[in-house]
Amino acid sequence: MGPPDRAKAMNRPRRPQPVKQSATSGRSLSGKALVALSAVGPGLFLIGYNIGTGSITTMGMAGARYGMNLLWALVLSGIFTYVLMVGFGRLTLVTGRTALQSFKTGIPRVGKVLALYVLAALVLGELVALTGVMGIVAELLQEGIRLASPGDALVVPTGWIVLAVASAIFLMLWFGHYRLFEKVLTVFVILMVFCFVAVFFMVSPTYSAVVAGMVPSIPDTPDASRLVAAMAGTTCSAAVFIVRSTVVAEKGWTVDDLGREKRDALVSASVMVFLSAMVMAVAAGTLFVHGMTMESTLEMIGLLEPIGGDLAAFLLIVGISGAGLSTVFPLVLIAPWLVADYAGWKRDLRSRSSRLLIGLGLLFSFGSVFLEQTPPVLMVIAMALQAAILPAVAIPAFYLLNRREVMGEGHLATPGWNAGLIAVIAFSLVTTWFAVTGLLG
């Protein structure tokens, strides 16, 4: 085309371009919520892991026995959870290595032993937790099936329910991938958020008790220390931070995503505290006020039914079941991911070793059918054990984030962040003492 033709082409009127709509325009409210929650990324995985039957059992017991007097421990745990989540995420984004890899290569002499100890302790704790989670989910689904059946006559043995759930999860993990897990977790998280908020307003708890619970105090009872440790373990969990680095790496984020990683951690920690506080407030504003206590999640539903009605009981069953199922996925993924990280293997869930570890983990979930110990007690023990592991995770994080050979000159922890990390270490030592005295007492 010569210059005159080019001039004509430039003067030719342009055809109006269609206005592009945003990805969320035209979507329903629920669709927008799905998109927004999916954008949380690694934090979504940790919300699904953190808010499970262990958290609900622990918060429900605390609310029923002591009202909102232990709310301060939950809020403090949430703040420290945010600090360590950002710390471990930053460590991974700057170094390109996961937490266990950083322990092995960044801590002289004792790094390999420390990484192996953390790996073994977390996998053992998660196996105990998996047994408790599946037991509680099976009991809830058994009750839900009974209530939904004509005349409340259908009672399915919990063993068959565990078999069905474990088989479905195994097949999904056999053929699935991480993006699929994120979508499944998105559904479960939205489900439990809706159910817990709905039940909270249906039972109308005493709001003054919520405010009073912000005053730090520990009731003078034998199991109060164990409950404080369990609350710290289920919120400020060592597994959360180790898995945080793995999920950040799995997401493919780089050092350019440091700001996104902080926002993701803030949303994740805030949702964890919000949902846990909702469960505690429901138990405190109803069971505690009426002088009732609970020893199991299923008992909580039975006690709430005359207060909130059948609908509240049904919503609680759906919400807690969703929370339990959203926890099972991360639980069975922890062992293959951490073993691969320690050994330096590629994180491939379709590899033979990963499938073997997933299968063995799901076999442990049948333990609740045969053990005499009730699932909620197993969950409290598992959460208290998590609190006891926290110092072995918090202290190395402080060391690595302040080491120039690891972080470089431009990404060392700031004085303000170091103050937060030191506070986390002190908190972890106190909760470890509570865990030891509570478990031995």
Side-chain angles (χ1 to χ4, degrees):
M1 180 184 291
D5 294 329
R6 185 180 293 117
K8 289 180 181 179
M10 293 177 64
N11 293 327
R12 189 178 299 143
R14 294 184 179 180
R15 184 176 300 173
Q17 298 295 320
V19 178
K20 291 184 179 181
Q21 294 185 338
S22 65
T24 57
S25 61
R27 293 180 184 267
S28 64
L29 183 61
S30 60
K32 291 179 181 179
L34 282 167
V35 172
L37 196 52
S38 296
V40 174
L44 175 65
F45 187 94
L46 296 181
I47 293 170
Y49 165 77
N50 187 276
I51 304 298
T53 53
S55 175
I56 292 167
T57 301
T58 303
M59 300 305 164
M61 284 183 175
R65 295 182 186 181
Y66 307 114
M68 300 301 293
N69 287 338
L70 299 181
L71 180 61
W72 63 270
L74 171 61
V75 174
L76 203 58
S77 298
I79 294 172
F80 292 149
T81 296
Y82 169 71
V83 172
L84 275 186
M85 282 176 67
V86 172
F88 274 98
R90 188 180 188 86
L91 181 66
T92 299
L93 294 181
V94 172
T95 65
R97 294 188 294 267
T98 58
L100 291 185
Q101 291 171 351
S102 295
F103 286 5
K104 285 178 62 178
T105 60
I107 303 177
R109 294 184 292 275
V110 299
K112 289 186 178 180
V113 176
L114 176 63
L116 186 60
Y117 164 73
V118 172
L119 167 64
L122 291 183
V123 170
L124 178 62
E126 298 317 310
L127 289 176
V128 175
L130 186 60
T131 302
V133 168
M134 280 296 231
I136 293 174
V137 169
E139 289 179 349
L140 289 168
L141 292 179
Q142 183 187 55
E143 180 68 10
I145 293 171
R146 185 189 67 80
L147 292 175
S149 64
D152 298 345
L154 181 59
V155 178
V156 180
T158 55
W160 287 108
I161 296 175
V162 172
L163 177 62
V165 173
S167 299
I169 292 173
F170 184 74
L171 290 174
M172 186 174 295
L173 293 173
W174 184 281
F175 295 107
H177 48 83
Y178 179 73
R179 290 185 181 275
L180 174 62
F181 306 148
E182 273 200 350
K183 292 178 181 178
V184 173
L185 288 174
T186 299
V187 174
F188 284 139
V189 170
I190 289 178
L191 185 67
M192 62 181 176
V193 168
F194 170 78
C195 291
F196 292 153
V197 172
V199 172
F200 176 80
F201 285 106
M202 288 177 67
V203 299
S204 299
T206 307
Y207 297 101
S208 59
V210 177
V211 178
M214 292 303 295
V215 180
S217 64
I218 300 178
D220 187 18
T221 56
D223 64 341
S225 296
R226 188 174 69 177
L227 264 179
V228 170
M231 290 171 64
T234 191
T235 307
C236 196
S237 167
V240 166
F241 311 121
I242 299 298
V243 175
R244 169 76 177 178
S245 69
T246 304
V247 181
V248 165
E250 192 74 16
K251 193 73 175 178
W253 286 358
T254 66
V255 70
D256 296 328
D257 297 298
L258 285 171
R260 179 188 295 185
E261 191 267 338
K262 268 191 173 183
R263 292 191 298 272
D264 179 86
L266 180 61
V267 173
S268 179
S270 300
V271 173
M272 290 177 191
V273 173
F274 172 74
L275 289 179
S276 298
M278 280 285 177
V279 176
M280 186 188 295
V282 168
T286 55
L287 305 183
F288 179 74
V289 170
H290 288 80
M292 304 176 181
T293 59
M294 59 163 280
E295 299 299 329
S296 71
T297 312
L298 195 62
E299 185 182 28
M300 181 180 182
I301 295 169
L303 292 171
L304 275 178
E305 192 170 0
I307 300 172
D310 292 340
L311 181 58
F314 178 76
L315 287 175
L316 207 57
I317 289 176
V318 174
I320 299 175
S321 298
L325 293 173
S326 73
T327 303
V328 172
F329 280 96
L331 282 176
V332 296
L333 290 177
I334 283 177
W337 272 357
L338 295 188
V339 169
D341 282 348
Y342 182 84
W345 300 337
K346 181 181 178 182
R347 290 183 299 275
D348 182 9
L349 294 180
R350 298 186 180 185
S351 67
R352 183 177 300 177
S353 59
S354 293
R355 286 172 170 173
L356 176 62
L357 289 170
I358 289 170
L360 290 175
L362 288 172
L363 283 178
F364 265 84
S365 65
F366 287 89
S368 60
V369 180
F370 306 103
L371 293 178
E372 293 183 1
Q373 195 68 270
T374 60
V377 173
L378 287 174
M379 290 307 305
V380 172
I381 293 173
M383 294 305 102
L385 288 173
Q386 287 288 342
I389 305 170
L390 188 56
V393 172
I395 296 173
F398 176 78
Y399 173 78
L400 291 169
L401 289 169
N402 284 278
R403 192 177 181 198
R404 283 181 173 82
E405 294 85 350
V406 175
M407 300 298 292
E409 194 67 38
H411 298 291
L412 291 171
T414 63
W417 213 257
N418 275 331
L421 290 170
I422 292 172
V424 173
I425 292 172
F427 178 74
S428 71
L429 294 174
V430 172
T431 54
T432 298
W433 171 256
F434 284 160
V436 172
T437 56
L439 291 172
L440 296 179

